[in-house]
Amino acid sequence: MSTSENLTPARPLLEIKNLEVAFKTQNGMVKALKGVDITLMPGKTLAIVGESGSGKSTTAHAIINLLPGSGKITGGEVLFDGKDLSKLSQKEIQFIRGREIGFVPQDPMANLNPVWSIGFQVEEAIRANGIAKGRAEVKKRAIQVLKEAGLEDADKRMKQFPHQFSGGMRQRVLIGMGLSSSPKLLIADEPTSALDVTVQRKILDHLETLTRDSGTALLFITHDLGLAAERAEQLVVMYKGRVVESGPSREILQNPLHPYTQRLVAAAPSLASRRIQSGRQSVVAAAGTPLYAGAADAGVTESIDLVSAAAARAEQVAHTPAAGNAIEVRDLTKIYKIRGAKGDAKTLKAVDSVNFSIARGTTMALVGESGSGKSTVARMLLRLEDATSGEIRIDGVDTAPLAGRELLNLRRRMQPVFQDPYGSLNPLRNIGNTIGEPLDVHKVGDRKSRRARVFELLDQVSLPRTLAGRYPNELSGGQRQRVAIARALSLKPDMVILDEAVSALDVLVQAQILRLLSELQEELSLTYLFITHDLAVVRVIADNVSVMQGGRIVEAASTDEVFGNPRMEYTKELLDAIPGAHIPLGV
Amino acid sequence: MPRYILGRVLQAIPVFLGTTFLIYFMVFAMPGDPLLALFGDKTPNPALLAQLRAQYHLDQPFLVQYWYYMTGIFQGNLGVSFSGEPVTAILARTFPVTARLAIMALVIQSVAGIAVGLVSGLRKGKLFDASALVVSLILISVPIFVIAFVAQFVFGIQLGWARTTVGSGAPTQDLILPAFVLASVSFAVIVRLTRSSVIEAQSTDYVRTAYSKGLGRNRVIPVHILRNSLIPVVTYLGTDFGVLLVGATITEGIFNIPGVGNTLYKAIVLGQGPTVVSFVTVMVLLYLVVNLLVDLLYGLLDPRIRYV
Amino acid sequence: MSNTPIDTVPEKIPERSPDHFVAALDDTPLVDVDSVTVGEKPSNLWIDAWRDLRRRPTFWISLVVILFIAVVAIFPTLFTQVLPDQNCSLDNSNAGPAAGHPFGFTKQGCDIFSRTVHGASTSLSVGFIVILLTTVLGILFGAFAGFYGGWLDSLLSRIGDIFFSIPYILAAIVVMSVLFAYRNVFVLSLAIGIFAWPSTARVLRAEILRVKNSDFVMAATAVGLTRFRILMRHVLPNSIAPVIAITTISLAGAIVAEASLSFLGVGLPPTFMSWGNDISQAQSDLRTNPQTLIIPSLALSITVFAFIIIGELIRDALDPKARAQR
């Protein structure tokens, strides 16, 4: 891209002007985009960053006129090579799609038709765009496309179906299809957010090489500011259907001017971990906010700034004297019996001789990619599943033989918060009953005192008391997660198992919940086991880290040590995969 | 795929044993003389009664009776009818007629049902869709014998387009009206099923991706939307075969079509219990076989089943 | 995308470049992160479903029709003073409408209107007894199979498969042929219901399998609820919605089944007022006296139609995905 400087024509490849999109709902037309301007020059990369509901994906779909049924472009224009795409006929836009604008969708699991083979779906794209003609020719080209996308054994796998491919492989297929006709523009809508970090990194590297080699401009959509800044020259920050800030990536990162961008910078775990690493202070404080020194916003930004949250936490832990181990795990192993591909019985060692201990009042993070066995460990700790062998000691007591009253006592002292905010609350029970249920089961106090406790818990997680009579579907993901935390805290436990508890949340909300967790830990001297796939978050919340791979703990040390001096290759790879690891920060 | 087929066939065996046992149990394990019960208020001819007693081994314990009955089925011996004619002989005569009627109905309901459902789904909320929904609801609600009488009355008596009863040898043109009647209920269900599958498929990610590849509607609709919507429809055709069998019994009875259903219909109306049991058993066996075939077809349509 | 080493971090904040755009704060006001907006009224699946149903005229029309049929079934004498099966006189055979006899007479000379009015209770009784049976059996089998899994699931599901493999009208034909001497409303309902429950069980089992892996079930286990309490308090309430929808529709199915069996002659004996019986007896008079056939057929079809419509509406209202499809 650096060589194309003097070749760049004056005309932008894509120019979105004042784009407005509305969706038809029961309450009339609701505007999703309220005047969006984006300019992308040929061969350049641009990233649109925003939280869910910001309109970033809607923008992507509007460009190629693939809004869902109820969506409509209600104003503005989408100039591509000088043509307004929003005014083209079905036939004309169909000609542009695939041929001139490639599209890589978000969820590789849902974007390939399950009933057709991979080869069929790639060949279909090639034929539609007139890249090759004739059976043999099309097939040859399809294999070539897949090989370029990184599927080495493409010729053998052409006849296989999507469900026989891993997520990463499917995403490679989708990238291959998107680039099959060397389009001038490739739109990639969160192409890797469903994948493990190490896979994500490889695929993005590959995508970068491919687009650079073919001179394809890349419009990249992501929720991760660090990723955006690392992968794109230009940034567009969107918020509630508008562009709040746009410009050169590095400049925006180093000098965010809009308060919303400042919030994002303060809350992005990838950047925070990087900032902590370089031992610098909060970016917001340093930037001095030349344009809007909005005092009103300072408090909010403060509350979601991960760096200051981490610093406050570190200080608090340093003052708490170590008081022995709350949790000790020895040689914990879990073997599942599964049915093999040929219908024969097989065993799967999900957890393999795992050892760790967590000191009272501290946080240990258990980090690993999907299938590493980290959640199985959590379920065994919570006695939701029995270990095949090994020992779990809580305050020195082996939990395996506990039953009845004793098991209830264990449950009272150790509570979980799970990942999926939409699945963790019973949709038919109101918030008050959900939070109060543990009190009810453990027969704590009478009706009146339970009610008082529910209100107290709502206060603790900063939710209004009026929510007690409401149902989960009225709450956002972050608010549901607060309710789940309140439920976990209702019995005043000593230990909380947080199984990917913040992974499904938007960055700002995630930062807020992380902050809340830190405060609660300090206030109630809680011991946390924090299970996550996201090393960046670990930097902010954990004292110690254990890295899991294939059921085993491959590295365990204090957070500083793991980040500063990783010993295992796998840990290095994980650290390296944190987006934004290579961006210099101007602070 | 071979493993899938084998698995399905193996799964069908206990169901086959269970269903035949259940029918046999219902008839012969009841208190009292099962044969007399089956003849209801009629007095059977003693010779026939003796023949039936021997046929069902009524002097033996229940399980032994069942054993003889099962081995009989595997030897192609389905017993004798009320008139003393072997059931297999009646089947040989009547089955081709019923097969013709059923295939006609199946083709009508599948082709028309899928076509109307597809158009309806693609034009959700438009006039065509709204009318298709209302018509299908009416067809689902009106029992098949009422539809048969309405058809006889309107097309046979009022308009004179068709004969109200089928002529001897059941010529195919006489079967057209009964086939439409027989197809009506399932047609309506298939319309609704196809419609909702099509609507669902239209909003899937893979359909959007297909468009984003540069494919046009005339490619995406048949290859990605319709193809995927067929899976639930085919699954339904299996269960629907039961409706078809009962429907055939009533339709053949009303239109006097000399098929398997009509034989059962007459046996029921005349209270010939043993014949009723024989023919219901035959139909249940047929139903099991068809469902096995549908399961295999399902495996062909859905690669996620075929290649685990 | 150069990987600039850390030591080249610029000391000062860079100047704002010309293409660095910032929106005016007035145009893009910030909202508090994740602020709580409490709506006017609580809402969950059932409340929303009721709100959805309440706004639909077809719901109210079908409900009124069903209530009307129920009143006819319970108090038939409110609508006709003529007795349906006595006072029949062959003098009136196939006679047309007369005063007090709005639809005329059957071949036996019975009043068509009165017979139709008195037939309502048979249809509704069979319908309700059958769904009571299918719901109880379906919930027992489906809930235990789905929730407890393992060998219990295998056993219960195989039993269900066997019953499911005999189309329930065919099964009822056999049962009724055997119990020919004992034909009455209850026996007929039993014959239908005993083979109709597996579809309810299957729907519920699938739903329970989906719900029982939810995080809220895990959370309840971690709190210490017993398995049975989890089933009753968390799993079953969240799985029951599709059962309710299919139950309304199978009520219509049971009414059709009764009429079909009576039509075939293995349903209720002719001494019972049943639309199926009346239609069966009227078929030979299709040419000469069509209203003997039309009136009970119409009554039967309207009843079934009302139940199917209300079942469809309830199903759609309880399924947010289907609601979006409309």
Side-chain angles (χ1 to χ4, degrees):
Chain A
M1 274 163 265
S2 48
T3 54
S4 59
E5 205 68 4
N6 40 7
L7 301 171
T8 306
R11 193 167 73 171
L13 177 66
L14 178 71
E15 207 177 1
I16 299 175
K17 287 183 183 165
N18 204 20
L19 182 66
E20 289 181 14
V21 168
F23 285 92
K24 207 168 104 188
T25 69
Q26 282 182 330
N27 311 318
M29 297 294 274
V30 171
K31 276 190 178 180
L33 298 185
K34 304 163 185 165
V36 167
D37 298 284
I38 292 171
T39 306
L40 174 60
M41 302 306 275
K44 296 284 182 187
T45 52
L46 179 145
I48 304 180
V49 190
E51 296 179 284
S52 48
S54 63
K56 56 187 193 306
S57 285
T58 304
T59 309
H61 297 152
I63 295 171
I64 47 175
N65 217 334
L66 280 182
L67 290 166
S70 58
K72 240 187 114 181
I73 296 178
T74 50
E77 43 193 4
V78 180
L79 296 175
F80 177 76
D81 250 356
K83 280 183 296 250
D84 186 352
L85 297 185
S86 66
K87 308 246 174 352
L88 293 186
S89 71
Q90 265 313 316
K91 266 245 131 37
E92 290 166 321
I93 186 84
Q94 187 185 319
F95 190 81
I96 303 259
R97 285 185 205 138
R99 213 175 284 237
E100 299 197 25
I101 303 180
F103 182 77
V104 180
Q106 183 166 9
D107 177 5
M109 298 300 173
N111 275 290
L112 289 166
N113 188 333
V115 309
W116 295 114
S117 70
I118 295 292
F120 178 93
Q121 297 186 55
V122 179
E123 285 174 11
E124 180 183 59
I126 286 165
R127 214 170 280 127
N129 296 314
I131 303 160
K133 288 214 164 62
R135 248 182 126 85
E137 197 60 25
V138 168
K139 188 177 175 199
K140 212 175 108 198
R141 179 80 188 125
I143 294 173
Q144 191 189 342
V145 160
L146 288 176
K147 281 201 168 147
E148 277 167 14
L151 279 170
E152 298 303 335
D153 47 355
D155 36 352
K156 283 183 209 125
R157 304 199 67 174
M158 289 278 282
K159 281 203 176 116
Q160 288 191 316
F161 289 88
H163 70 277
Q164 295 165 300
F165 280 60
S166 71
M169 287 295 157
R170 293 189 208 189
Q171 197 62 60
R172 286 178 191 275
V173 172
L174 287 162
I175 288 173
M177 288 195 309
L179 285 171
S180 60
S181 54
S182 315
K184 292 182 190 152
L185 170 66
L186 185 73
I187 301 173
D189 182 8
E190 303 247 21
T192 55
S193 32
L195 306 174
D196 277 332
V197 276
T198 50
V199 182
Q200 163 173 338
R201 181 171 171 76
K202 280 185 204 124
I203 287 191
L204 288 179
D205 284 347
H206 197 76
L207 183 62
E208 204 173 300
T209 319
L210 289 177
T211 46
R212 187 169 48 216
D213 290 351
S214 60
T216 301
L218 181 62
L219 181 71
F220 183 69
I221 287 155
T222 177
H223 64 278
D224 189 327
L225 192 57
L227 193 68
E230 184 178 71
R231 299 286 171 178
E233 298 148 312
Q234 298 280 315
L235 269 190
V236 171
V237 181
M238 286 187 70
Y239 178 61
K240 292 195 184 295
R242 291 179 201 275
V243 173
V244 294
E245 189 159 355
S246 65
S249 303
R250 203 140 302 165
E251 191 181 317
I252 291 188
L253 219 55
Q254 289 166 355
N255 188 15
L257 296 177
H258 196 281
Y260 180 73
T261 320
Q262 293 171 357
R263 279 185 186 180
L264 274 188
V265 171
S270 54
L271 299 176
S273 92
R274 170 95 181 86
R275 265 149 46 211
I276 296 169
Q277 196 64 23
S278 52
R280 313 271 174 143
Q281 264 312 301
S282 154
V283 90
V284 177
T289 61
L291 199 56
Y292 313 111
D297 196 51
V300 177
T301 310
E302 170 72 14
S303 78
I304 54 171
D305 179 26
L306 288 179
V307 179
S308 67
R313 233 190 63 78
E315 198 174 311
Q316 173 253 323
V317 171
H319 289 296
T320 322
N325 289 336
I327 301 174
E328 272 176 87
V329 170
R330 292 283 158 260
D331 292 324
L332 190 64
T333 301
K334 178 76 194 183
I335 298 173
Y336 288 110
K337 286 199 186 75
I338 51 165
R339 196 168 296 172
K342 294 199 169 98
D344 45 349
K346 267 191 182 171
T347 56
L348 172 80
K349 235 180 203 179
V351 177
D352 187 0
S353 314
V354 161
N355 290 290
F356 63 81
S357 56
I358 309 175
R360 212 162 278 138
T362 67
T363 302
M364 188 191 91
L366 199 54
V367 185
E369 297 186 289
S370 49
S372 62
K374 54 190 194 305
S375 288
T376 311
V377 171
R379 286 200 296 273
M380 286 191 283
L381 273 175
L382 289 160
R383 278 288 307 270
L384 298 173
E385 250 175 82
D386 291 326
T388 309
S389 66
E391 198 174 75
I392 298 166
R393 287 182 173 276
I394 304 295
D395 284 333
V397 179
D398 185 3
T399 63
L402 298 184
R405 192 75 243 158
E406 287 173 325
L407 182 60
L408 266 187
N409 279 336
L410 171 72
R411 300 209 180 286
R412 187 172 186 156
R413 302 192 43 214
M414 179 158 61
Q415 280 292 303
V417 177
F418 295 111
Q419 169 174 15
D420 176 15
Y422 292 87
S424 64
L425 306 178
N426 181 342
L428 294 179
R429 283 175 76 76
N430 71 29
I431 306 298
N433 283 340
T434 294
I435 297 176
E437 179 169 53
L439 303 170
D440 182 38
V441 172
H442 289 257
K443 304 196 171 57
V444 179
D446 54 13
R447 269 183 76 111
K448 217 172 136 193
S449 73
R450 280 184 213 155
R451 188 145 189 84
R453 175 75 180 133
V454 167
F455 284 144
E456 189 189 343
L457 285 160
L458 281 171
D459 294 346
Q460 246 170 3
V461 296
S462 319
L463 287 174
R465 291 180 172 197
T466 45
L467 280 186
R470 298 316 181 95
Y471 293 89
N473 68 344
E474 300 169 64
L475 302 183
S476 73
Q479 289 154 7
R480 288 168 196 233
Q481 225 44 351
R482 282 169 192 269
V483 173
I485 292 171
R487 172 179 59 192
L489 294 179
S490 63
L491 292 167
K492 304 191 175 156
D494 318 318
M495 290 155 270
V496 182
I497 313 288
L498 302 153
D499 189 357
E500 300 270 17
V502 297
S503 307
L505 305 174
D506 273 328
V507 275
L508 296 183
V509 180
Q510 184 185 54
Q512 234 180 20
I513 300 282
L514 284 172
R515 183 87 181 202
L516 174 71
L517 288 171
S518 289
E519 284 165 7
L520 288 169
Q521 181 171 42
E522 186 178 350
E523 210 177 303
L524 309 167
S525 333
L526 297 168
T527 306
Y528 286 155
L529 174 62
F530 191 92
I531 292 167
T532 182
H533 67 279
D534 187 354
L535 255 180
V537 173
V538 169
R539 191 72 170 113
V540 182
I541 185 112
D543 305 298
N544 296 293
V545 184
S546 294
V547 180
M548 276 190 89
Q549 185 192 17
R552 306 182 76 98
I553 290 187
V554 293
E555 179 151 6
S558 76
T559 307
D560 286 338
E561 230 173 289
V562 167
F563 276 76
N565 187 20
R567 282 193 217 107
M568 301 300 292
E569 199 47 48
Y570 181 65
T571 316
K572 284 180 195 155
E573 212 180 304
L574 280 181
L575 283 172
D576 221 34
I578 298 177
H582 303 288
I583 315 166
L585 293 159
V587 285
Chain B
M1 190 72 185
R3 190 161 43 246
Y4 172 73
I5 295 175
L6 188 68
R8 282 289 160 200
V9 172
L10 286 180
Q11 267 179 26
I13 291 173
V15 173
F16 168 76
L17 291 176
T19 44
T20 47
F21 183 82
L22 199 58
I23 295 173
Y24 207 80
F25 180 82
M26 285 191 301
V27 178
F28 293 99
M30 297 280 175
D33 186 327
L35 283 182
L36 284 180
L38 280 177
F39 284 104
D41 42 12
K42 294 175 191 61
T43 330
N45 146 9
L48 178 67
L49 204 58
Q51 197 187 352
L52 286 170
R53 273 190 209 288
Q55 181 191 327
Y56 291 111
H57 303 278
L58 287 184
D59 46 347
Q60 307 276 336
F62 175 70
L63 282 175
V64 178
Q65 294 170 24
Y66 177 64
W67 168 253
Y68 279 120
Y69 169 72
M70 283 306 295
T71 46
I73 286 185
F74 279 104
Q75 288 160 4
N77 176 11
L78 296 165
V80 289
S81 79
F82 204 82
S83 57
E85 194 183 358
V87 170
T88 37
I90 303 179
L91 274 180
R93 190 175 67 235
T94 54
F95 186 75
V97 179
T98 301
R100 229 172 341 128
L101 178 71
I103 288 171
M104 284 166 75
L106 245 144
V107 170
I108 294 169
Q109 71 194 39
S110 318
V111 173
I114 291 170
V116 172
L118 175 65
V119 176
S120 230
L122 293 174
R123 302 186 175 192
K124 189 185 91 176
K126 303 273 166 57
L127 183 67
F128 181 91
D129 179 36
S131 352
L133 279 181
V134 171
V135 170
S136 65
L137 267 184
I138 291 174
L139 286 179
I140 289 174
S141 304
V142 181
I144 186 162
F145 48 92
V146 174
I147 294 180
F149 289 130
V150 170
Q152 271 191 337
F153 189 71
V154 174
F155 297 104
I157 296 171
Q158 302 264 301
L159 297 172
W161 290 355
R163 292 163 64 168
T164 52
T165 51
V166 169
S168 69
T172 301
Q173 78 256 27
D174 280 7
L175 292 182
I176 294 176
L177 185 63
F180 268 98
V181 170
L182 185 52
S184 61
V185 179
S186 305
F187 160 78
V189 178
I190 291 175
V191 166
R192 299 177 77 82
L193 206 57
T194 311
R195 173 185 182 269
S196 61
S197 302
V198 164
I199 291 173
E200 207 178 309
Q202 272 177 294
S203 60
T204 56
D205 285 350
Y206 60 76
V207 164
R208 190 187 55 210
T209 301
Y211 281 120
S212 81
K213 291 195 290 196
L215 305 183
R217 272 171 74 85
N218 47 11
R219 169 95 189 163
V220 174
I221 289 172
V223 173
H224 291 283
I225 293 177
L226 184 59
R227 171 66 176 73
N228 290 54
S229 307
L230 285 182
I231 295 174
V233 174
V234 167
T235 318
Y236 167 73
L237 285 179
T239 350
D240 172 57
F241 194 71
V243 178
L244 198 75
L245 285 173
V246 174
T249 306
I250 293 174
T251 315
E252 288 185 4
I254 291 173
F255 286 92
N256 201 23
I257 301 167
V260 184
N262 195 25
T263 317
L264 175 61
Y265 177 82
K266 287 211 171 107
I268 298 170
V269 171
L270 298 173
Q272 300 170 340
T275 314
V276 171
V277 176
S278 298
F279 275 86
V280 168
T281 312
V282 167
M283 285 188 172
V284 169
L285 295 183
L286 200 61
Y287 180 70
L288 288 178
V289 171
V290 167
N291 268 285
L292 187 62
L293 292 177
V294 165
D295 269 356
L296 300 183
L297 186 59
Y298 178 65
L300 272 183
L301 280 177
D302 193 341
R304 285 165 294 187
I305 302 290
R306 219 179 326 155
Y307 307 97
V308 183
Chain C
M1 246 157 278
S2 56
N3 296 347
T4 321
I6 293 169
D7 26 325
T8 64
V9 169
E11 284 299 304
K12 280 199 298 184
I13 296 159
E15 291 293 305
R16 186 175 164 194
S17 59
D19 55 352
H20 187 162
F21 157 85
V22 183
L25 195 51
D26 296 343
D27 294 341
T28 52
L30 282 188
V31 181
D32 279 351
V33 176
D34 209 17
S35 57
V36 182
T37 44
V38 180
E40 267 176 44
K41 286 178 186 142
S43 97
N44 65 24
L45 179 71
W46 296 101
I47 299 172
D48 290 351
W50 170 236
R51 268 183 211 147
D52 180 66
L53 283 179
R54 216 175 41 188
R55 287 188 291 112
R56 304 198 170 272
T58 33
F59 170 74
W60 291 110
I61 295 169
S62 340
L63 194 66
V64 166
V65 170
I66 288 172
L67 289 177
F68 175 74
I69 296 166
V71 171
V72 171
I74 301 169
F75 308 107
T77 45
L78 284 181
F79 299 88
T80 172
Q81 298 302 320
V82 182
L83 288 171
D85 48 356
Q86 286 130 34
N87 307 352
C88 301
S89 152
L90 283 176
D91 299 343
N92 293 331
S93 179
N94 284 340
H101 306 282
F103 298 117
F105 296 87
T106 66
K107 193 192 248 166
Q108 276 76 34
C110 301
D111 179 60
I112 295 177
F113 177 68
S114 168
R115 286 192 71 89
T116 306
V117 164
H118 283 270
S121 75
T122 307
S123 282
L124 288 200
S125 317
V126 172
F128 279 103
I129 300 175
V130 168
I131 61 156
L132 195 72
L133 217 70
T134 57
T135 312
V136 169
L137 285 174
I139 288 180
L140 277 178
F141 274 73
F144 282 98
F147 189 66
Y148 290 100
W151 65 267
L152 188 65
D153 182 21
S154 307
L155 179 72
L156 297 182
S157 295
R158 285 301 86 74
I159 294 176
D161 283 351
I162 289 169
F163 279 81
F164 193 72
S165 295
I166 307 179
Y168 67 92
I169 295 193
L170 286 182
I173 288 174
V174 171
V175 175
M176 294 311 287
S177 298
V178 174
L179 300 177
F180 198 78
Y182 309 98
R183 289 172 298 164
N184 62 40
V185 168
F186 189 73
V187 169
L188 180 60
S189 308
L190 212 67
I192 299 169
I194 212 92
F195 283 88
W197 60 268
S199 43
T200 309
R202 282 184 171 198
V203 168
L204 182 63
R205 177 176 173 274
E207 216 33 41
I208 285 198
L209 284 180
R210 186 181 65 81
V211 173
K212 82 166 182 184
N213 290 320
S214 303
D215 282 351
F216 66 79
V217 172
M218 262 214 272
T221 315
V223 159
L225 260 81
T226 58
R227 297 275 287 155
F228 188 71
R229 258 176 102 184
I230 289 175
L231 172 64
M232 298 310 284
R233 190 187 277 188
H234 292 287
V235 178
L236 208 49
N238 281 293
S239 319
I240 209 76
V243 172
I244 290 181
I246 149 173
T247 297
T248 322
I249 294 171
S250 49
L251 199 153
I255 292 176
V256 173
E258 181 275 322
S260 305
L261 290 169
S262 293
F263 173 80
L264 286 171
V266 282
L268 294 166
T271 47
F272 279 79
M273 293 307 117
S274 154
W275 294 333
N277 276 342
D278 285 356
I279 295 169
S280 178
Q281 271 154 27
Q283 56 179 314
S284 53
D285 306 318
L286 182 60
R287 282 168 198 275
T288 48
N289 188 12
Q291 63 260 40
T292 47
L293 192 88
I294 291 170
I295 300 305
S297 298
L298 216 54
L300 177 61
S301 303
I302 289 172
T303 308
V304 174
F305 192 58
F307 278 110
I308 293 230
I309 294 239
I310 215 159
E312 292 266 330
L313 286 174
I314 291 175
R315 184 176 64 192
D316 286 1
L318 284 172
D319 179 2
K321 215 171 68 188
R323 233 185 298 168
Q325 274 194 13
R326 281 195 300 220

